[in-house]
Amino acid sequence: MHRGFVDLNDAVPGIRTDIRYATAHNLTGHPLAGYLAAKAVATREAAAALAVAYREAQRLGYGLLIYDAYRPQKAVDDFVRWSREPETGDRKAEFYPELDKADLFPLGYIAERSGHSRGSTIDLTLTDASGEPIDMGTGFDFMSERSHHGAEGLTEAQSRSRAVLRGIMAYAGFAPYENEWWHYRLMGEPFPEAYFDFDIE
């Protein structure tokens, strides 16, 4: 593993992971390049902040489930290639039913340079005490205005759950991304200009 990075399962005991990009269960329909293992990896600084978030979540009666953390640049490039391939429709209904695949980049849901490649951005959700994900109104990577913070059409419970997650992450020093309720970046991240490309293994 790259110096300065850690496995989040080791750094934050008890946290749960569901690393979708190491599997076919993501919007591309295949494991992304560089995900040789289903591990959540992040900078030491992000891991320390996430441990604070996890303790706060536990205090409030929740757990945390990580969907993605560090993302190799080659995986981001894999997204770019996928976006330029003809639409097959295999994953559209689950991840972007209202959008054309070609619109995912210009609308800001996917970027050619991702904060994830700097190692201090985390995609995650709340779980209940048994480890089951809480209903947040949409699933992870659902590309829609329904995934935005402050989205209309959510139930009171869904809006409250998003607010709880946002509060937990803010307490630990993470900033939200307005288009994705699951996406948080460590403020004061240690590598603000770097885009790493080492494999997750």
Side-chain angles (χ1 to χ4, degrees):
M1 191 178 304
H2 193 279
R3 183 178 176 182
F5 284 70
V6 295
D7 185 327
L8 291 176
N9 281 120
D10 295 333
V12 191
I15 207 162
R16 295 174 182 266
T17 58
D18 179 11
I19 308 304
R20 300 279 183 86
Y21 297 146
T23 75
H25 187 199
N26 63 70
L27 69 170
T28 73
H30 65 261
L32 291 183
Y35 283 79
L36 307 185
K39 294 181 179 179
V41 174
T43 63
R44 293 184 186 281
E45 292 83 353
L50 192 64
V52 173
Y54 182 58
R55 288 194 296 271
E56 180 65 5
Q58 286 189 302
R59 187 184 72 81
L60 297 172
Y62 298 98
L64 295 177
L65 173 68
I66 308 298
Y67 290 117
D68 195 36
Y70 161 70
R71 184 182 307 164
Q73 181 61 44
K74 60 176 66 78
V76 179
D77 297 341
D78 200 351
F79 269 130
V80 175
R81 284 192 298 273
W82 167 81
S83 74
R84 294 172 179 163
E85 294 169 355
E87 178 65 76
T88 64
D90 293 353
R91 302 289 167 169
K92 185 174 173 64
E94 181 177 358
F95 295 108
Y96 53 104
E98 306 156 7
L99 300 172
D100 291 331
K101 187 160 87 167
D103 292 333
L104 298 179
F105 276 91
L107 290 175
Y109 292 107
I110 305 174
E112 294 191 14
R113 289 284 193 175
S114 171
H116 283 279
S117 300
R118 301 195 299 266
S120 295
T121 293
I122 312 290
D123 290 341
L124 78 171
T125 192
L126 295 174
T127 72
D128 62 21
S130 72
E132 284 298 307
I134 299 288
D135 180 6
M136 304 295 256
T138 75
F140 165 63
D141 262 0
F142 188 74
M143 308 301 176
S144 165
E145 290 185 1
R146 284 176 53 80
S147 294
H148 295 190
H149 287 282
E152 297 180 356
L154 302 179
T155 68
E156 183 178 340
Q158 291 164 347
S159 294
R160 184 171 60 249
S161 295
R162 290 189 186 187
V164 168
L165 178 60
R166 186 167 177 159
I168 288 169
M169 296 303 283
Y171 174 79
F174 288 88
Y177 175 48
E178 290 304 320
N179 286 358
E180 298 173 350
W181 60 258
W182 56 82
H183 178 116
Y184 288 88
R185 174 187 57 82
L186 180 67
M187 293 183 283
E189 58 185 311
F191 303 113
E193 304 299 329
Y195 292 89
F196 295 99
D197 197 33
F198 63 90
D199 291 340
I200 298 168
E201 55 189 349

